Amino acid sequence: MKSAKDLKYNLDLYPQEVSSSVKYFFQNTIDWDVYLPAKGINLQRCFVWTLEQKRELIISMLIGRHIPHCAILNIISSADKNKEVFQIIDGRQRLSTIKFFLEDEFTIELEGNEYLFSELPEDYRTTINRFYFRYYVVNEPWDTKVTDEQKITWFNFINFAGTPQDKEHMEKLN
């Protein structure tokens, strides 16, 4: 039998656990698709959540329920070292849902009534904007790019449970 140390998976990346408020996070430039030139496809699948799943996430934020970590690659532009782009390695469904709600693209149901974000009482909007969610971030050095293979390895390491990825999409990644 292997030792416990031998079981550990080496990602070759060094994710750090951080947290951000929703309001702060969405002030950043976000790459939702993470195009992989070596594979000719996006790492992330299209948005697939149902209205019920989206609503449940927003309610979870309001009641303070834990939301699983996301995984983000922070890329600093080699042309403009002051510009950062967050590539969403894992968490597109969750983060897109929050963004869509902030942009009034769907309603949540509270006490039998439906509300867009802009129609919520101020304390509800503040609770959502100040909600801190946790994520793992890898800060890519401007002179050493994270490869498509490293992104796929990290993605596969994280996605061992939950709503399964489309089999065809997973085959293209591997």
Side-chain angles (χ1 to χ4, degrees):
M1 176 183 270
K2 292 181 179 180
S3 71
K5 180 181 177 185
D6 291 333
L7 291 175
K8 299 252 185 211
Y9 194 83
N10 182 4
L11 284 176
D12 195 28
L13 297 172
Y14 304 98
Q16 298 172 323
E17 183 178 14
V18 297
S19 63
S20 294
S21 70
V22 165
K23 185 175 182 177
Y24 166 78
F25 185 82
F26 287 110
Q27 293 174 352
N28 293 289
T29 302
I30 300 173
D31 176 359
W32 299 99
D33 297 318
V34 189
Y35 182 72
L36 303 169
K39 299 289 182 177
I41 61 170
N42 294 335
L43 179 66
Q44 290 282 339
R45 63 183 165 186
C46 296
F47 191 78
V48 298
W49 272 16
T50 65
L51 179 59
E52 181 179 324
Q53 289 171 304
K54 293 188 285 188
R55 286 177 167 174
E56 189 61 36
L57 178 71
I58 302 303
I59 296 299
S60 294
M61 294 169 67
L62 287 169
I63 66 174
R65 185 182 289 150
H66 171 75
I67 294 175
H69 289 62
C70 297
I72 295 165
L73 179 61
N74 182 17
I75 297 174
I76 299 172
S77 169
S78 57
D80 179 0
K81 292 180 179 60
N82 293 319
K83 182 177 180 183
E84 298 178 23
V85 175
F86 285 174
Q87 284 192 338
I88 309 302
I89 302 299
D90 184 65
R92 180 178 184 178
Q93 306 299 309
R94 286 166 276 164
L95 294 170
S96 294
T97 292
I98 296 167
K99 184 176 187 307
F100 294 157
F101 187 65
L102 294 173
E103 294 173 349
D104 283 346
E105 293 188 22
F106 68 94
T107 62
I108 59 170
E109 191 173 320
L110 299 167
E111 299 176 357
N113 296 309
E114 291 188 17
Y115 298 91
L116 294 167
F117 175 76
S118 64
E119 297 170 334
L120 289 172
E122 184 177 347
D123 62 330
Y124 282 64
R125 292 191 315 268
T126 299
T127 298
I128 291 168
N129 275 321
R130 290 186 180 167
F131 181 84
Y132 271 76
F133 67 97
R134 287 172 268 181
Y135 55 96
Y136 296 105
V137 64
V138 169
N139 294 304
E140 178 185 74
W142 66 270
D143 61 344
T144 308
K145 299 296 181 195
V146 173
T147 67
D148 287 357
E149 277 308 312
Q150 288 173 305
K151 292 174 189 179
I152 291 168
T153 299
W154 190 17
F155 178 81
N156 286 332
F157 182 75
I158 294 165
N159 285 288
F160 61 90
T163 303
Q165 292 284 332
D166 178 291
K167 182 180 175 185
E168 183 179 304
H169 183 76
M170 291 304 291
E171 287 173 358
K172 288 179 182 176
L173 289 177
N174 293 313

